[in-house]
Amino acid sequence: MNSEQVSAFSEQICSKIRNTSEFSEAQNICLYSPINNEVDVMLLKQDIIKCGKNMWLPKVVGKEMIFILVDENTEFECGSFGIKEPKSGKILEKADNSFLVIMPGSVFTSDRKRIGYGGGYYDRFLSENSDCKKLAAAYEIQIADDIPSENHDIRPDKIITENSIY
C-alpha cells in the first residue's frame, strides 16, 4: 500500500475504534508504535488525552513486553526491532478491565485468529493480563481465510479494519 492508502485506512480504522464501547469505557489505553505500514493507531493519541484517559506504550525488556505510561514529558528511544519505545516511566503492574490493549499483527482471520511477528510478546503479556479488553487494528487485506494457531495464541475480542469489525 502507498502512504496515502495507509493514512486514509488508518484514519478510518481509528474512527471505528473511537466509536467502540471498549474505547469509550476504558480509562487506560495501550497502543503500539507503528512500523512500516502498520495501522497508525497513534492517531488516537489526541482523543485519549482529550478524554482524560491514560496512554501506555510497549517496551521490550528481554523476552517480555511491558507497558509504560506516556505523557507529554516522556522521552523515547529506538528499541527492539527499531521500534520507538518510551525510555522510562511508570510501568503497568496489572491490566484489569479498565484497560484496552490495541494490538498489531501480520495476519488475522474473521474468527479472530492472529499471527503476530513471531516474538510472542502480546501472547505472553495478554495471558498474564487476561482481564483487559483487546482490539486488533488491521487492514482488510490482512484478513485470511484460515491461518494456523496454537493453544497459547490469544485472540483479540474484535478486529477493526477499514471495512469491517470482526
Side-chain angles (χ1 to χ4, degrees), residues 1-151:
M1 295 188 313
N2 62 41
S3 61
E4 291 81 22
Q5 289 171 308
V6 169
S7 293
F9 291 161
S10 291
E11 190 57 59
Q12 291 171 15
I13 292 164
C14 287
S15 178
K16 286 183 180 183
I17 291 172
R18 282 182 200 102
N19 291 320
T20 65
S21 60
E22 290 86 354
F23 186 85
S24 63
E25 294 169 6
Q27 181 57 39
N28 297 282
I29 313 282
C30 298
L31 298 178
Y32 60 87
S33 295
I35 57 171
N36 303 323
N37 279 347
E38 286 180 328
V39 175
D40 185 2
V41 295
M42 294 305 287
L43 295 170
L44 296 167
K45 180 179 178 180
Q46 293 307 317
D47 293 292
I48 292 169
I49 293 168
K50 186 173 77 176
C51 294
K53 299 174 185 281
N54 298 314
M55 186 171 96
W56 304 76
L57 286 175
K59 180 177 182 72
V60 173
V61 180
K63 293 269 185 200
E64 300 303 315
M65 179 178 70
I66 61 174
F67 279 89
I68 296 180
L69 184 63
V70 175
D71 62 25
E72 65 277 354
N73 299 317
T74 302
E75 292 183 31
F76 291 88
E77 63 187 356
C78 188
S80 297
F81 313 104
I83 299 171
K84 188 169 109 173
E85 298 178 339
K87 272 186 164 181
S88 62
K90 180 180 176 184
I91 298 172
L92 173 61
E93 295 295 328
K94 180 81 171 145
D96 57 27
N97 65 4
S98 73
F99 279 83
L100 168 61
V101 175
I102 300 177
M103 66 176 84
S106 58
V107 183
F108 301 88
T109 63
S110 60
D111 63 346
R112 302 181 336 274
K113 290 180 189 172
R114 172 185 173 272
I115 293 179
Y117 297 101
Y121 296 102
Y122 277 90
D123 290 324
R124 283 191 295 281
F125 176 83
L126 293 169
S127 70
E128 295 172 10
N129 294 279
S130 57
D131 291 338
C132 64
K133 306 276 192 307
K134 304 168 289 298
L135 297 181
Y139 304 111
E140 196 67 35
I141 62 170
Q142 291 177 269
I143 306 298
D145 291 335
D146 195 28
I147 56 176
S149 68
E150 298 176 11
N151 289 340

